[in-house]
Amino acid sequence: MTPVLALSLRSIGNRRLSVVLTVIAVALSVALLLGVERLSNDAREGFAQTISGTDLVVGARGGAVQLLLYSVFHIGNASNNVSWQSMERIAALPQVKWLVPISLGDSHRGMRVVGTTADFFAHYRHGADRALAFGQGRVFAVAPDGIFEAVVGAEVAARFGYRPGQRIVLSHGSLGGEGGPRFADHADKPFTIVGVLARTGTPVDRSVLVGLEGIEAIHIDWHGGAPIPGLSIAPEQVRKFDLSPKSVTAALVGLDSRIAVFRVQRQINTMAGEPLTAILPGATLQELWSLVGMAERALLAVSALVVAVGLAGLVAVVVASLGERRRELAILRALGASPLQIFALLAFESLLLSLAGIVLGLALLYGVVVVAAPWLSAQYGLNLAPDWPSAGEWRLLGAVLGASLAASLVPAWRAYRYSLADGLTIRI
Amino acid sequence: MTSDAAPGAGCAAVAVSGLRYRWPKAHADCLAIDALTLVAGERVFLRGPSGSGKTTLLSLVGGVIQPQAGEVSVAGQPLSRLSTGARDRFRADNIGFVFQLFNLLPYLSARDNILLACRFSAARRARLCAAGVSAQAEAARLASRLDLDAGALERPAAELSVGQQQRVAAARALIGRPGLIIADEPTSALDADRQQAFVDLLLGECAASGAALLFVSHDLRLAAHFDRVLDLAQINHAAAAEAGT
Ligand SMILES: Nc1ncnc2c1ncn2[C@@H]1O[C@H](COP(=O)(O)OP(=O)(O)OP(=O)(O)O)[C@@H](O)[C@H]1O
Ligand SMILES: [Mg+2]
């Protein structure tokens, strides 16, 4: 076999250009396949860790996915609010370490306004235990000083060019985007931006965060979703009123110990007085991803097809070269090469090319990962690391190798047939 | 020099008997030869019109294809008794081929093309070794005998003239002293002067190494210096061949 394999290398060298082009095509398709796999893995992980430090999310009685959607992803609305008394009772449970209330319902230029407390910044975690970080500025001050102070997420700041010190007006209601139906503005009580958060890749990026007292304050002269006609209370005067919240939309709850999570969940779900629902955000996120995961699988299927196209191109090039190499095969036969050696020659050649493609594709992937990682992290909160291929990626590589092995049999088999059928006739 | 030459000396270099061959999918036999013998060292000119089955006969003698009936023996070895792999090795060891055109692998140098025959055959290497010469030295010696200068040896085969290519092919067929050289119209791409010169070179080298030569051509003018001239049309009784002529 050895003289034949050495010849194969020389023969490949003789057809450099077409060989290099097909190897590049295979490399690109392999890089795409692994890139998609890696990105979707990362997206899945990032998604599952949208809120990672929170043990329970509590809201009015309803479906788990719905609660997660409106409280964390700001999609849709709560059917009911939760009374402040219930909040206090949950916070008083012995296993509860902290509770961060969330009040939704207002918006700013299509972005949700989240009424909460300064604790939100202390306890919210995303990814692998990453806390919120400030790009600029600081947390809003506690009431009464910070009633009209706001912190904006990275996306909000980037989209509208916001910096600390700028004043913004909140709108009542949260339906529609910037172009959607507009509700009345709270124009009489503008907020001052005091901080801009660093990007997280979570819905926090698209939020405007204010204190719960701020939410109370802008609605003090409202009733039933509309301003009370003839009543207008100036910002300076709101401080005289009781701004403590009567109800909120949901709450994030942290426990002393994870072990107690099911017990506390049951306690909240069966609490007398108000029908509540407590969910484990991680489990519900998994459930949600299984819906989103369809798209991920479709993407993987498409890139698998691209690999198939790349390999088909490789086979086409090798088979096409066979036409002009039929005389080469006849020469080798005359010199004593067996049909099996001819088979091995061609199989080795295509396999070598696909291997080169796979290796180059991996190199390409790592190159892109290293170059693009900082940008992807800043833009999309995706954290690609040039890690050793995961088990899933090895499986994909194995599948590609298997496919290229199968593909390499096509030209090999043709050459084998030629070498038997042609005899010593030198065909041109 | 002939005494210690190829194995099977004493036996016939080629012996064909009762041969029938039909190409797959063909409607009639291509070859039907009752008997054909080349004694060791004999140099035979085989003539026949185009399409008469000359190359087919050479493929059979080389063991590249198998007859439907009859037997082909080379150096006393009946080819049908060998397994497919053994037949390929036997060909590498005992037969040197020169074709009409495109004898060489274009991406190898002339020297590497010559040495290729040794790479495929342990027996050729062993014979060179027994004679006390290296393959490299033998390649150089044959090249100079065939009027190839040292510069031509280093060049890629694709850069050689057709005449040079044919002489490189002859050197490759001869290296390691196989008992039989088969040449399939090796001169048809050369001009008239060169044709005779090439045939004379080939005859001389075969005589020097003791190899039998089966030389195929339709050009009778080249037949002068051979031991024997055969007409395929006369020994081939196949219906297809007769209908063709
Ligand atoms: N590989 C093949 N498959 C099928 N038929 C073949 C094959 N090679 C040759 N033949 C047929 O066998 C017959 C003899 O062909 P062959 O090549 O042996 O003729 P030839 O005498 O060498 O001709 P030329 O002088 O043109 O080289 C022709 O009819 C040809 O069509
Ligand atoms: Mg012919």
Side-chain angles (χ1 to χ4, degrees):
Chain A
M1 286 291 176
T2 23
V4 165
L5 299 192
L7 281 178
S8 172
L9 294 177
R10 303 291 297 263
S11 173
I12 290 173
N14 192 39
R15 287 171 290 120
R16 249 169 266 125
L17 184 63
S18 59
V19 159
V20 164
L21 289 179
T22 44
V23 165
I24 288 177
V26 172
L28 284 175
S29 65
V30 167
L32 178 71
L33 180 73
L34 293 183
V36 164
E37 165 77 2
R38 193 161 274 215
L39 269 179
S40 60
N41 260 338
D42 215 79
R44 184 194 308 134
E45 252 169 50
F47 186 80
Q49 296 175 337
T50 308
I51 42 170
S52 46
T54 300
D55 295 311
L56 289 169
V57 177
V58 182
R61 177 71 44 90
V65 170
Q66 190 203 0
L67 170 55
L68 189 79
L69 281 177
Y70 69 70
S71 63
V72 176
F73 291 96
H74 307 164
I75 297 169
N77 290 301
S79 46
N80 273 307
N81 273 7
V82 181
S83 70
W84 190 251
Q85 286 94 311
S86 293
M87 286 290 118
E88 286 177 329
R89 281 164 65 194
I90 294 168
L93 290 173
Q95 297 91 344
V96 170
K97 190 174 177 187
W98 53 262
L99 181 145
V100 176
I102 286 173
S103 189
L104 301 164
D106 289 300
S107 65
H108 170 70
R109 296 175 80 175
M111 305 290 185
R112 287 286 181 123
V113 171
V114 179
T116 184
T117 64
D119 285 346
F120 184 85
F121 301 94
H123 295 303
Y124 188 92
R125 293 285 185 281
H126 64 98
D129 205 31
R130 282 164 68 174
L132 294 176
F134 276 83
Q136 302 169 52
R138 55 167 175 86
V139 183
F140 47 76
V142 287
D145 299 339
I147 294 179
F148 293 114
E149 289 182 350
V151 170
V152 297
E155 176 74 28
V156 178
R159 172 100 52 100
F160 306 122
Y162 287 160
R163 287 182 317 281
Q166 273 176 297
R167 307 187 96 195
I168 56 175
V169 169
L170 308 188
S171 312
H172 193 68
S174 53
L175 279 174
E178 239 182 317
R182 290 291 294 274
F183 290 80
D185 286 341
H186 297 289
D188 58 332
K189 300 186 185 70
F191 282 68
T192 305
I193 296 172
V194 294
V196 174
L197 291 170
R199 197 172 284 272
T200 62
T202 71
V204 173
D205 294 347
R206 297 185 302 275
S207 307
V208 174
L209 298 128
V210 300
L212 284 174
E213 293 79 5
I215 298 284
E216 290 297 321
I218 54 178
H219 295 112
I220 201 152
D221 43 8
W222 283 48
H223 182 75
I228 301 167
L231 180 64
S232 173
I233 297 167
E236 309 77 51
Q237 268 132 40
V238 294
R239 287 165 224 269
K240 296 183 197 133
F241 292 79
D242 172 23
L243 294 178
S244 62
K246 317 292 175 288
S247 67
V248 294
T249 313
L252 310 180
V253 176
L255 304 180
D256 288 315
S257 152
R258 278 250 155 128
I259 303 165
V261 72
F262 291 108
R263 188 141 46 93
V264 177
Q265 183 187 28
R266 202 167 48 244
Q267 279 177 325
I268 295 173
N269 283 341
T270 57
M271 206 171 248
E274 193 171 10
L276 297 175
T277 295
I279 59 162
L280 279 64
T284 311
L285 281 165
Q286 293 282 328
E287 202 177 316
L288 251 181
W289 181 261
S290 63
L291 300 175
V292 187
M294 285 296 285
E296 170 206 20
R297 253 166 293 159
L299 209 59
L300 199 63
V302 168
S303 31
L305 277 181
V306 173
V307 172
V309 170
L311 287 178
L314 185 135
V315 168
V317 164
V318 176
V319 167
S321 81
L322 269 187
E324 54 194 80
R325 289 166 72 200
R326 257 170 115 156
R327 62 171 185 257
E328 184 181 321
L329 302 183
I331 294 166
L332 291 174
R333 283 287 279 147
L335 284 173
S338 66
L340 270 180
Q341 280 178 311
I342 301 283
F343 183 90
L345 175 84
L346 271 294
F348 176 77
E349 181 177 319
S350 351
L351 205 57
L352 199 69
L353 296 191
S354 6
L355 264 181
I358 290 172
V359 170
L360 191 67
L362 270 176
L364 206 66
L365 178 69
Y366 282 103
V368 168
V369 165
V370 167
V371 171
W375 178 80
L376 276 174
S377 171
Q379 285 292 310
Y380 299 103
L382 287 170
N383 296 302
L384 281 185
D387 290 335
W388 200 239
S390 69
E393 287 170 347
W394 280 121
R395 263 198 299 282
L396 279 181
L397 280 177
V400 173
L401 202 64
S404 49
L405 196 68
S408 71
L409 297 183
V410 177
W413 178 246
R414 271 190 85 89
Y416 180 81
R417 299 295 310 163
Y418 280 163
S419 67
L420 284 180
D422 287 356
L424 291 181
T425 314
I426 302 259
R427 299 196 180 266
I428 311 163
Chain B
M1 268 191 115
T2 35
S3 56
D4 64 343
C11 307
V14 179
V16 172
S17 63
L19 178 84
R20 292 285 179 287
Y21 185 76
R22 180 184 297 201
W23 281 103
K25 296 200 200 107
H27 301 298
D29 282 351
C30 174
L31 289 175
I33 297 173
D34 292 336
L36 169 66
T37 308
L38 266 73
V39 298
E42 189 182 18
R43 297 165 305 170
V44 172
F45 185 97
L46 180 68
R47 61 179 285 239
S50 181
S52 60
K54 301 185 295 294
T55 302
T56 306
L57 177 61
L58 299 187
S59 295
L60 286 160
V61 171
V64 178
I65 53 178
Q66 296 309 300
Q68 279 85 26
E71 185 58 89
V72 177
S73 299
V74 174
Q77 169 67 56
L79 296 182
S80 64
R81 305 252 181 88
L82 296 173
S83 70
T84 337
R87 207 152 43 223
D88 291 321
R89 279 193 297 280
F90 184 85
R91 177 170 64 252
D93 292 343
N94 298 296
I95 308 176
F97 282 94
V98 185
F99 298 117
Q100 181 174 1
L101 255 185
F102 307 117
N103 273 291
L104 310 179
L105 300 186
Y107 46 84
L108 295 185
S109 71
R111 178 197 303 283
D112 286 341
N113 264 290
I114 296 173
L115 293 174
L116 206 52
C118 290
R119 288 236 249 155
F120 273 98
S121 165
R124 292 203 197 206
R125 289 197 298 272
R127 273 179 240 134
L128 287 175
C129 199
V133 285
S134 72
Q136 295 276 348
E138 179 67 359
R141 187 190 70 81
L142 281 169
S144 76
R145 297 274 304 208
L146 289 165
D147 283 342
L148 286 165
D149 55 82
L153 269 188
E154 306 309 328
R155 303 231 302 273
E159 288 176 18
L160 300 178
S161 75
V162 178
Q164 285 172 321
Q165 287 184 30
Q166 294 305 79
R167 279 174 279 153
V168 171
R172 184 179 63 197
L174 287 160
I175 195 167
R177 294 202 178 171
L180 175 64
I181 302 293
I182 288 177
D184 190 0
E185 307 195 51
T187 58
S188 60
L190 305 179
D191 58 57
D193 303 340
R194 293 268 173 180
Q195 284 183 350
Q196 193 58 58
F198 180 82
V199 171
D200 290 341
L201 273 175
L202 198 57
L203 283 167
E205 282 312 303
C206 284
S209 74
L213 173 63
L214 182 53
F215 187 102
V216 159
S217 177
H218 52 254
D219 188 354
L220 255 184
R221 287 173 302 166
L222 300 171
H225 305 289
F226 284 79
D227 299 331
R228 190 148 61 105
V229 179
L230 273 177
D231 188 347
L232 185 59
Q234 265 160 24
I235 56 171
N236 183 15
H237 309 304
E242 271 153 25
T245 43

